[in-house]
Amino acid sequence: MSFVSVYHPIPFLIQPIIYRKKFFPRIPYNNASEIKASAAEEIRVCTNRTCRRQGSIETLQILSGIAPPNVAVNSCGCLGRCGAGPNAVVLPGGVFVRHCGTPSKAANLMISILGGFDGNEDDKSKNCLESLALRTRAEDRMANGDFDEALVLLSQAIDLKPFGGLHIIYRSRSAAKLAVGNITGALEDAKEALAIAPKYPKAYICQGDALMSIGKLDAAKKSYSIALELDPSLRRSKSFKRLGADNELSQNELDFGKIPRPQTPTRLPDTPVLDGNHGNSTTLQNKD
């Protein structure tokens, strides 16, 4: 029997994984239960060449747009199994998902993470994807200065009650309301976004913008500082630099000091492999 030796794509695993050439045996298995049991905190989507050709960039965008605030979505390098992509891995459980190349499969993956399938997944998936499409259209309208139309689209997106991405919609509507002079509404939507995602830095920026527009400088500076504490990279953005210059926010007022170094990631456990279409799984054993 022939074997293939490859290196695990996650950088902190340096030991090779040995698995059989036929490494996708058909083992009946409940995908939703396995993903839910993994207590997902992050989804990484391979954007390497083969998966990219199979549509992984679109998968990454969709998952990012429909993710709840407690699930991070990031790109990564090759996860192996090229040709079965787009591939993704759910962490920290290390559950691999393959053939996740359509919007519906991406939505089904997120539904699995949020609690599994209950017979209404088609409606949940449809509403969430429609909501994402409405938000995307609204943000295009905002970029062109059509804030009134954007507000209509964003309100329609909220009415669909998507299972994920709602905090992003409220943040976008807050910015649109502020642009048309509805400061009270902008503050309310920023607070709604923060109620859903208390660690969402862009919502704090929207809240700060609204507070700044009514002259509440101290409260605005506090919101901006919280945003920077949550995401120090915002300081390098052109919009935030311009904001600091326009409103004379000093470096000290915007500086929260050093960010603690993240903990060294732990080694992945044995890795179940899932089919993105309620398929089958196998487990790749980590070989020392």
Side-chain angles (χ1 to χ4, degrees):
M1 183 178 295
S2 59
F3 290 84
V4 179
S5 175
V6 298
Y7 280 87
H8 199 285
I10 306 301
F12 51 85
L13 288 180
I14 59 174
Q15 295 294 333
I17 300 171
I18 309 296
Y19 56 81
R20 304 176 194 275
K21 268 189 176 179
K22 296 182 179 180
F23 46 84
F24 294 135
R26 301 188 62 82
I27 303 174
Y29 157 75
N30 187 326
N31 289 15
S33 298
E34 185 71 21
I35 296 177
K36 182 182 177 183
S38 70
E41 297 175 2
E42 181 184 6
I43 302 173
R44 295 184 189 177
V45 180
C46 173
T47 54
N48 208 29
R49 288 174 297 178
T50 302
C51 281
R52 184 184 291 265
R53 288 196 296 268
Q54 294 168 339
S56 65
I57 296 297
E58 292 76 11
T59 298
L60 177 66
Q61 292 171 343
I62 290 169
L63 288 172
S64 299
I66 65 176
N70 61 313
V71 179
V73 179
N74 297 299
S75 62
C76 69
C78 183
L79 293 172
R81 304 171 204 81
C82 300
N87 294 313
V89 60
V90 181
L91 301 175
V95 182
F96 278 84
V97 182
R98 59 185 183 178
H99 298 304
C100 192
T102 66
S104 61
K105 289 180 180 179
N108 285 342
L109 170 59
M110 196 63 70
I111 291 171
S112 300
I113 289 173
L114 296 179
F117 296 88
D118 57 7
N120 297 318
E121 57 270 13
D122 288 342
D123 290 338
K124 291 180 181 179
S125 175
K126 179 181 177 182
N127 287 348
C128 204
L129 292 173
E130 285 184 2
S131 178
L132 174 60
L134 287 167
R135 176 173 69 82
T136 301
R137 288 171 54 197
E139 290 173 351
D140 288 341
R141 297 291 192 278
M142 291 171 66
N144 293 324
D146 189 355
F147 296 102
D148 291 327
E149 178 64 18
L151 284 170
V152 173
L153 294 171
L154 291 167
S155 296
Q156 291 174 356
I158 291 171
D159 290 341
L160 289 171
K161 299 179 180 179
F163 58 74
L166 192 57
H167 58 298
I168 305 176
I169 301 173
Y170 273 115
R171 184 264 301 171
S172 295
R173 197 172 72 168
S174 173
K177 285 183 176 180
L178 184 61
V180 298
N182 184 358
I183 299 173
T184 300
L187 278 171
E188 290 174 350
D189 278 356
K191 289 178 180 178
E192 286 287 347
L194 290 172
I196 299 169
K199 296 183 178 181
Y200 184 33
K202 291 184 179 180
Y204 282 104
I205 290 180
C206 283
Q207 180 176 258
D209 291 343
L211 291 168
M212 187 70 72
S213 68
I214 56 177
K216 294 187 176 181
L217 302 185
D218 290 340
K221 290 175 182 178
K222 182 178 179 180
S223 288
Y224 295 141
S225 296
I226 294 173
L228 281 177
E229 183 181 20
L230 292 169
D231 185 1
S233 67
L234 288 172
R235 189 189 306 280
R236 298 191 295 270
S237 67
K238 292 182 180 180
S239 59
F240 205 93
K241 287 180 180 179
R242 183 171 59 251
L243 173 69
D246 291 345
N247 296 289
E248 299 180 353
L249 302 181
S250 71
Q251 183 73 14
N252 289 334
E253 289 170 326
L254 295 178
D255 195 358
F256 266 75
K258 294 182 179 179
I259 303 301
R261 180 176 296 179
Q263 296 180 353
T264 303
T266 55
R267 186 178 178 183
L268 281 176
D270 295 343
T271 307
V273 179
L274 302 185
D275 191 298
N277 191 24
H278 308 293
N280 304 310
S281 73
T282 186
T283 297
L284 303 184
Q285 300 288 338
N286 289 320
K287 300 294 183 181
D288 293 326

